[in-house]
Each structure stands twice: as structure tokens, then as C-alpha cells.
């Protein structure tokens, strides 16, 4: 009798919940059709999800290593300035904040420059791809190729709403959907049909539209995922090598370099949670309940902020222990990372010394190749958001190989230096961000002054025009 009573209560609860959900869905206050970038409009129909999405603007959490608070990473780890010498990341690299800041942060970073006219650089419109639901709208209006090959500044008054509802949801069914063609195209080149993905796989794939390694292919800057041969760091390196591709030539060592973006999806799929079928949303968007409604928390923040609703739904252990396990994984990986950054920056400087003292291309070839390989592995591991926890074994393997190649590069460079009569190298002081940027020849005051003036003069015009055209809600 007790069992029957309990089952009856459960059945009534399920029926009530389904009825409330159906009522919510069937009594939408506004009809949303097509690509609707205004997140506020979606919030009218789905107020619970929208209320949690707005919390992506909160900057209230920091764990031992990660969080949603602003951090100048170059200030914390100035060797990275030298590692990225000649590339825009040496000017400015900050830890990511919540999705609500996607537009504000891409406008503010020094990496996007100060374009005034539509044809000004330095960046292509491809850089907007993961920042806004206005992007699929513009791709539909302009065509995908035309969108990519335009300039970033040319679309400043069109791409104005931060990452939100239309990036991941079909407005008619609210099913998860793919809105970025690069992911679909990457699957097609692997002989896969993304339309056949299961609902659980989609809880990864909507994130994989952006949280992946990518590059801009050809003069048209066509966004491409280098997955044709596989997801590992070696698979993608082979892809780039066969394409004879380099993101830039290093300004100090002259090595042809690769810049990893953020291979979060790839590393997650190599880790324990990914291999056991969990999705990104299981940990970063835990379920919440309100009345008869069960819905996902759209704040999308570190699971350590809410261990009770994330880790403890599966792991029967204390919050203290679970947090400690995460920190142990991270600490071990970051110990190797810090050693690499010290030694790899030194290797680039040794290469410069060799060039300055008469080394030729034949003498330097082996060293430059090792520098490319070492930095690609380092960047692949550290650019990933949470890779040291998502796939701790794979991340430590990659970092170990990076350190190995870094030290091999130093040995090769010492041979070159000795052959050219150099027996001692005076290393510059790069102990702070400003010293490192001065060493590689950056005039940071001018860059900041130009950016500040641009933000005060150009951005307000973008915003005003966007509001006038109805692209941005009047606030």
C-alpha cells in the first residue's frame, strides 16, 4: 500500500509538471519567428531561463584558478607577451567573462583595433562569429562567404546583441539547433551528418559551435575547424603542416607559429566525463526547479560555484573533497604550464640572439620547427577553458610534450649559438607585462590612447545607429 501510494504521488507530480510545461509552451505571450537576436523578447516567453541568462553579467565567483571575474592574464603571466610577439594577443589578453559581455569585450580588446571606415582592419568580420545571435541573421542576409570576408568594423552597428537564445534554440520548438555553419561543415568533411545527433549530443554540439579550435582559411577568412584528421593536438598539427599554414611569424624568433584558440570541446571529449556520455550542459547548466517547472540554469559558470547541483548529482562526496580533487588536477597541470612559459620564452630569445649573430636559415630550421611544435602544444592546453579538469591526463600529456620540445629547441639553439661564436646570452628583464611589451617593441600608451578615443567616438555611433534601425532594444 505504501509503494502504491508513493507511486501515485510520483505519477501525479509528473502529470502536474508536464501540464505546467505544456501550458507554458502553448500560451506563449509573443510569437518568435526566424532568427530573433533580441534576447529580451525570448525572455517574455521564458522568464525563468532569461532571468538566469541575465546572471551571466554577474562577476561574483572565483575559484583557485578560474571564475567569471575580469583578470589581465598578461599581467599575471608576462612571459606570454614574448610567446605571442608579433601577434595581437601580445597586446591584450584577458580571462573570459560571462556571455553577457561578449559584445562589450570584443569592442574593448586592443586586438580588434580602431576601425573607422567600413574597409578598415585589422580584423575580418569572421571575428564576430561567436559573439552574437546577430551573426546567423547577418549570414542569412549577406551570405556566409560575404560575411566572413567583410571587415570586423563594417558590421559594428549590426552585431550588437550578446550571445543568447537564438544562438542555440529553434524559436518554434525550443529544440537545440546549430546556427553556425563551420560546425556543420566540419562534420560533413568527416562524413557525418550533424542532423542525426541525439538530444544529449546536442547538449555538447551547441557549445561546440564556438568552444573549439579554428582558423580563418584563405583570403576570404573562411571560418574552418581543422578536424579532418581527428581531434588530437597531433591530428590538427598535421592538418596545418600539410596546408603549410601559419597564423603568424614570430617577431622575436622568426618561427612560423600556430595560435590555438580554445579547444574546449575537443579536450572534453577526450576526458572521463565526455567519454561517459555527459554533456557540457550537465555541469555548466544544471537543472533548477520552480513549482512544477524543471529548467536549465543559463548562467553558464564554473560548476564549482554550485557543487550541490553539479558535481554532487553524481558524486557522493563532500563539497570540500570534490573541490580539492579539481584543484589537484589543475595544480599539477599548471605547474608544468608555468615551467613551459619560462623556458619557451627563453628559447624564443635564444633564437633571436642566434639570428642577430649571423645564423642562417639552414642552421635555424630544426630549432624553429621545435619552437612551432612546442608552442602549439602549450597553447592548445592552456587556451582551453578548463582543459586541465576536463581531460587532465591528456592535458598533462600535451604539456609534457611541449616542455620536451622546448628543451630540445634550447639544445639545438645552443649548438647554433656556439657555431656562431656566442658563448653567453644576456636575457632581458620580462618580469612584468610592461617590461615584456617594451622588449618586443610595443608602444602600449599609443595603442591604449587610440582605443580609448575610438570607444568614445565610434562605438556610440554604432549603438545609436543600431537602436535607430531596431537592431538593439531601446534602454
Amino acid at each position: 500500500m505504501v509503494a502504491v501510494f508513493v507511486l501515485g504521488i510520483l505519477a501525479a507530480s509528473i502529470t502536474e509538471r508536464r501540464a505546467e510545461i505544456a501550458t507554458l509552451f502553448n500560451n506563449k505571450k509573443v510569437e518568435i519567428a526566424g532568427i530573433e537576436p533580441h534576447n529580451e523578447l525570448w525572455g517574455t516567453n521564458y522568464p525563468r531561463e532569461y532571468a538566469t541568462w541575465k546572471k551571466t553579467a554577474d562577476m561574483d565567483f572565483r575559484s583557485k584558478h578560474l571564475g567569471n571575474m575580469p583578470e589581465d592574464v598578461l599581467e599575471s603571466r608576462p612571459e606570454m607577451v614574448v610567446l605571442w610577439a608579433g601577434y595581437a594577443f601580445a597586446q591584450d589578453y584577458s580571462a573570459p567573462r560571462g556571455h553577457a559581455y561578449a559584445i562589450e569585450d570584443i569592442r574593448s580588446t586592443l586586438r580588434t583595433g580602431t576601425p573607422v571606415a567600413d574597409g578598415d582592419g585589422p580584423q575580418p568580420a569572421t571575428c564576430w562569429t561567436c559573439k552574437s545571435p546577430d551573426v546567423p541573421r547577418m549570414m542569412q542576409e549577406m551570405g556566409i562567404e560575404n560575411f566572413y570576408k567583410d571587415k570586423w568594423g563594417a558590421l559594428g552597428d549590426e552585431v550588437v546583441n550578446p550571445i543568447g537564445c537564438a544562438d542555440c534554440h529553434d524559436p518554434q520548438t525550443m529544440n537545440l539547433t546549430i546556427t553556425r555553419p563551420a560546425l556543420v561543415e566540419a562534420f560533413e568533411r568527416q562524413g557525418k551528418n550533424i542532423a542525426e545527433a541525439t538530444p544529449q549530443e546536442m547538449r555538447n554540439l551547441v557549445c561546440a559551435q564556438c568552444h573549439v579550435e579554428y582558423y580563418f582559411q584563405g583570403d576570404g577568412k573562411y571560418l574552418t575547424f581543422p578536424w579532418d584528421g581527428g581531434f588530437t593536438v597531433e591530428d590538427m598539427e598535421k592538418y596545418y603542416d600539410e596546408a603549410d599554414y601559419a597564423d603568424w611569424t614570430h617577431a622575436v624568433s622568426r618561427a612560423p607559429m600556430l595560435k590555438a584558440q580554445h579547444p574546449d570541446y575537443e579536450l572534453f571529449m577526450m576526458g572521463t566525463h565526455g567519454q561517459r556520455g555527459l554533456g557540457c550542459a550537465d555541469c555548466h547548466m544544471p537543472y533548477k526547479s520552480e513549482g512544477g517547472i524543471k529548467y536549465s540554469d543559463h548562467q553558464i559558470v564554473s560548476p564549482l560555484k554550485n557543487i550541490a547541483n553539479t558535481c554532487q548529482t553524481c558524486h557522493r562526496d563532500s563539497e570540500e573533497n570534490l573541490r580539492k580533487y579539481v584543484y589537484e588536477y589543475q595544480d599539477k597541470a599548471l605547474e608544468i604550464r608555468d615551467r613551459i612559459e619560462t623556458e619557451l620564452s627563453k628559447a624564443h630569445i635564444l633564437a633571436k640572439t642566434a639570428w642577430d649573430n649571423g645564423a642562417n636559415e639552414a642552421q635555424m630550421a630544426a630549432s624553429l620547427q621545435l619552437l612551432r611544435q612546442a608552442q602549439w602544444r602549450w597553447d592548445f592546453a592552456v587556451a582551453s577553458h578548463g582543459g586541465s579538469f576536463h581531460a587532465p591526463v591528456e592535458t598533462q600529456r600535451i604539456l609534457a610534450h611541449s616542455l620536451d620540445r622546448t628543451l630540445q629547441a634550447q639544445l639545438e639553439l645552443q649548438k647554433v649559438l656556439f657555431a656562431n661564436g656566442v658563448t653567453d646570452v644576456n636575457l632581458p628583464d620580462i618580469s612584468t607585462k610592461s617590461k615584456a611589451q617594451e622588449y618586443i617593441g610595443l608602444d602600449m600608451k599609443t595603442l591604449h590612447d587610440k582605443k580609448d578615443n575610438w570607444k568614445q567616438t565610434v562605438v556610440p555611433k554604432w549603438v545609436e545607429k543600431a537602436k535607430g534601425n531596431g537592431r538593439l532594444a531601446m534602454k
Side-chain angles (χ1 to χ4, degrees):
M1 289 178 65
V2 171
V4 170
F5 178 72
V6 171
L7 288 172
I9 291 176
L10 178 61
S13 174
I14 291 172
T15 301
E16 180 184 4
R17 176 166 294 190
R18 286 179 174 171
E20 188 166 346
I21 291 172
T23 300
L24 176 70
F25 191 78
N26 293 325
N27 292 281
K28 294 177 288 187
K29 296 179 181 178
V30 294
E31 283 299 324
I32 300 175
I35 301 170
E36 176 50 70
H38 295 90
N39 298 313
E40 309 84 19
L41 194 62
W42 295 70
T44 304
N45 288 340
Y46 309 103
R48 295 171 179 86
E49 289 84 353
Y50 180 64
T52 59
W53 172 85
K54 288 197 294 183
K55 289 185 177 180
T56 63
D58 291 351
M59 292 182 287
D60 59 354
F61 177 74
R62 183 181 295 281
S63 68
K64 186 175 182 179
H65 300 295
L66 299 169
N68 59 10
M69 296 182 181
E71 178 188 351
D72 186 335
V73 181
L74 297 182
E75 194 71 59
S76 305
R77 293 150 56 195
E79 293 89 355
M80 297 172 77
V81 172
V82 174
L83 297 182
W84 287 325
Y87 201 62
F89 275 75
Q91 302 174 18
D92 179 21
Y93 179 56
S94 298
R97 299 192 287 173
H99 283 172
Y101 294 102
I103 297 297
E104 180 181 332
D105 286 351
I106 194 174
R107 289 172 180 167
S108 297
T109 179
L110 295 174
R111 300 198 302 270
T112 49
T114 55
V116 177
D118 286 354
D120 290 349
Q123 304 297 355
T126 320
C127 289
W128 284 117
T129 302
C130 288
K131 304 302 181 183
S132 169
D134 286 302
V135 168
R137 174 181 65 81
M138 291 305 297
M139 286 182 169
Q140 187 179 78
E141 292 177 11
M142 300 173 63
I144 298 169
E145 291 186 13
N146 288 333
F147 174 86
Y148 288 147
K149 69 184 181 183
D150 209 341
K151 288 296 184 180
W152 178 80
L155 302 181
D157 58 354
E158 290 283 356
V159 184
V160 289
N161 294 281
I163 298 166
C165 312
D167 288 307
C168 304
H169 289 283
D170 181 302
Q172 300 302 312
T173 64
M174 288 307 291
N175 289 337
L176 294 174
T177 189
I178 304 301
T179 56
R180 302 309 197 271
L183 180 64
V184 177
E185 293 160 357
F187 266 61
E188 288 175 345
R189 293 197 305 274
Q190 292 181 327
K192 301 176 183 177
N193 182 0
I194 206 167
E196 297 174 355
T198 67
Q200 179 63 8
E201 288 172 334
M202 288 296 289
R203 286 160 64 84
N204 280 331
L205 292 175
V206 291
C207 304
Q209 297 182 94
C210 297
H211 287 264
V212 291
E213 161 61 11
Y214 61 83
Y215 77 110
F216 300 167
Q217 186 180 61
D219 294 337
K221 305 300 180 184
Y222 200 96
L223 184 66
T224 306
F225 300 172
W227 293 352
D228 295 25
F231 285 165
T232 70
V233 67
E234 290 86 3
D235 291 334
M236 294 190 218
E237 180 181 56
K238 182 179 179 183
Y239 174 99
Y240 287 132
D241 286 347
E242 290 178 349
D244 194 25
Y245 177 81
D247 282 293
W248 90 105
T249 299
H250 200 277
V252 174
S253 67
R254 306 188 200 174
M257 305 303 293
L258 295 173
K259 174 70 187 79
Q261 305 309 322
H262 26 63
D264 308 330
Y265 171 73
E266 299 94 327
L267 277 171
F268 173 74
M269 295 304 292
M270 297 180 208
T272 299
H273 292 91
Q275 291 175 358
R276 292 188 178 184
L278 271 74
C280 309
D282 290 317
C283 301
H284 292 279
M285 301 177 67
Y287 286 117
K288 303 182 76 171
S289 291
E290 184 177 322
I293 298 294
K294 179 181 178 183
Y295 65 99
S296 292
D297 186 338
H298 282 62
Q299 186 177 6
I300 313 178
V301 70
S302 168
L304 294 180
K305 189 176 189 291
N306 187 10
I307 291 176
N309 284 2
T310 55
C311 310
Q312 286 183 327
T313 58
C314 295
H315 299 287
R316 301 307 175 193
D317 207 336
S318 68
E319 287 196 19
E320 181 182 359
N321 282 341
L322 291 168
R323 188 179 292 107
K324 182 184 71 173
Y325 301 148
V326 175
Y327 290 165
E328 285 178 350
Y329 285 137
Q330 293 174 334
D331 287 346
K332 288 179 172 63
L334 301 187
E335 180 182 344
I336 308 172
R337 178 205 72 184
D338 292 346
R339 176 79 193 284
I340 293 168
E341 290 171 9
T342 298
E343 298 301 328
L344 187 52
S345 59
K346 187 187 300 181
H348 282 293
I349 294 167
L350 291 176
K352 180 181 187 307
T353 306
W355 286 116
D356 291 347
N357 284 274
N360 58 49
E361 292 185 6
Q363 288 178 309
M364 294 292 289
S367 303
L368 300 186
Q369 182 69 2
L370 286 165
L371 286 172
R372 172 183 167 95
Q373 293 173 350
Q375 185 150 326
W376 165 242
R377 284 158 177 77
W378 161 81
D379 212 341
F380 193 94
V382 304
S384 171
H385 304 145
S388 57
F389 175 74
H390 290 155
V393 175
E394 177 65 6
T395 299
Q396 290 185 49
R397 181 190 76 85
I398 294 169
L399 288 170
H401 286 200
S402 172
L403 182 57
D404 174 61
R405 282 168 171 76
T406 296
L407 297 178
Q408 287 187 53
Q410 288 189 7
L411 289 173
E412 287 294 327
L413 287 164
Q414 287 171 10
K415 295 176 187 177
V416 176
L417 289 166
F418 184 78
N420 285 274
V422 180
T423 58
D424 189 28
V425 176
N426 292 319
L427 295 174
D429 182 359
I430 57 169
S431 59
T432 67
K433 171 186 169 182
S434 59
K435 290 178 179 179
Q437 289 174 330
E438 182 180 2
Y439 168 70
I440 67 171
L442 290 177
D443 181 354
M444 295 307 300
K445 184 180 185 306
T446 298
L447 289 172
H448 280 293
D449 287 347
K450 287 179 65 177
K451 191 71 176 188
D452 290 344
N453 179 68
W454 178 83
K455 287 166 63 177
Q456 293 171 16
T457 56
V458 175
V459 172
K461 294 178 181 177
W462 285 357
V463 173
E464 182 181 1
K465 186 174 180 180
K467 287 181 177 179
N469 291 339
R471 303 304 190 197
L472 189 64
M474 302 292 288
K475 295 180 181 178

